[in-house]
Amino acid sequence: MENVVKVVNEIINWLWNRENITLLIAIAGFGMSLYNFFRALWDKRCSFRVDYVSHYCCLSKSGKYAEPMFRFNFVNLSSAPLTVVRMFLLVDGEKYEFLFPEQQVYQMTRRQKGETVQIGEVKSQKLPFRLEGKGALGGYFAAYLPTDMEKTFQSAGKWQLVVQTPQKEIVFSIVADKPGYDIEQYGY
């Protein structure tokens, strides 16, 4: 017990000296600036944003799934290349993965000279994809959800998007306020 009291008294006497307090503050400031410097380097290495453009939902051709199609723009804010490996949609605590291969998003046909002709087909962006430094990529992203969720995604809503890169996983809040916008504007 005497040793503890002696050590505490020595610490108090050491802190009583103004120069020692200045030294402590300088060392703490230096340590925090080093931490902030390396943290900023790491954050810049994997810094991007996701912009929601529009979405719509329909049943899959088999009728077994609801297929929400989101149109997103990814913007790489860092000068280093970035790879998006996987993406998930969070809805009411459930996690649904976006599809890896390209998927048909919308197809239009027209009758010309008595024949049915395909006029437009848009494919969803395949995963993984790479964004160059300070680059951007826009595309359609599709997921399979239970059929009872079709109505949920035919209207506006707020959901979360989880984007996974090799460096980290980031959760974005998506305010999906333009359901069917592409169909209304462009016909697909």
Side-chain angles (χ1 to χ4, degrees), residues 14-15 19 24 34 59 82 110-111 126 129 173 177:
W14 189 82
L15 289 173
E19 286 144 8
L24 251 172
L34 272 179
L59 286 178
L82 172 77
R110 179 180 292 160
R111 301 270 307 160
K126 67 180 181 177
F129 63 88
S173 291
D177 57 355

Side-chain angles (χ1 to χ4, degrees), residues 13 18 30 57 68-70 76 100 107 120-121 148 180:
N13 287 336
R18 178 180 264 168
F30 178 72
C57 186
M69 310 298 169
F70 287 88
N76 187 354
F100 278 79
Q107 180 177 343
E121 186 175 312
D148 61 341

Side-chain angles (χ1 to χ4, degrees), residues 35-86:
Y35 170 79
N36 287 336
F37 174 75
F38 287 114
R39 180 64 191 220
L41 281 178
W42 179 256
D43 286 345
K44 286 182 183 175
R45 185 168 180 252
C46 185
S47 178
F48 65 98
R49 74 171 197 260
V50 178
D51 298 328
Y52 162 83
V53 179
S54 66
H55 76 283
Y56 72 92
C57 186
C58 61
L59 286 178
S60 64
K61 287 182 181 179
S62 67
K64 295 180 182 179
Y65 304 102
E67 284 187 45
M69 310 298 169
F70 287 88
R71 185 172 159 206
F72 295 125
N73 291 330
F74 286 79
V75 181
N76 187 354
L77 302 172
S78 73
S79 55
L82 172 77
T83 301
V84 173
V85 181
R86 297 171 81 185

Side-chain angles (χ1 to χ4, degrees), residues 20-38:
N20 291 341
I21 293 205
T22 304
L23 176 66
L24 251 172
I25 292 171
I27 291 172
F30 178 72
M32 287 175 22
S33 67
L34 272 179
Y35 170 79
N36 287 336
F37 174 75
F38 287 114

Side-chain angles (χ1 to χ4, degrees), residues 138-157:
Y140 290 91
F141 298 88
Y144 284 153
L145 278 65
T147 55
D148 61 341
M149 298 182 83
E150 179 186 14
K151 297 275 187 235
T152 304
F153 287 94
Q154 287 179 343
S155 58

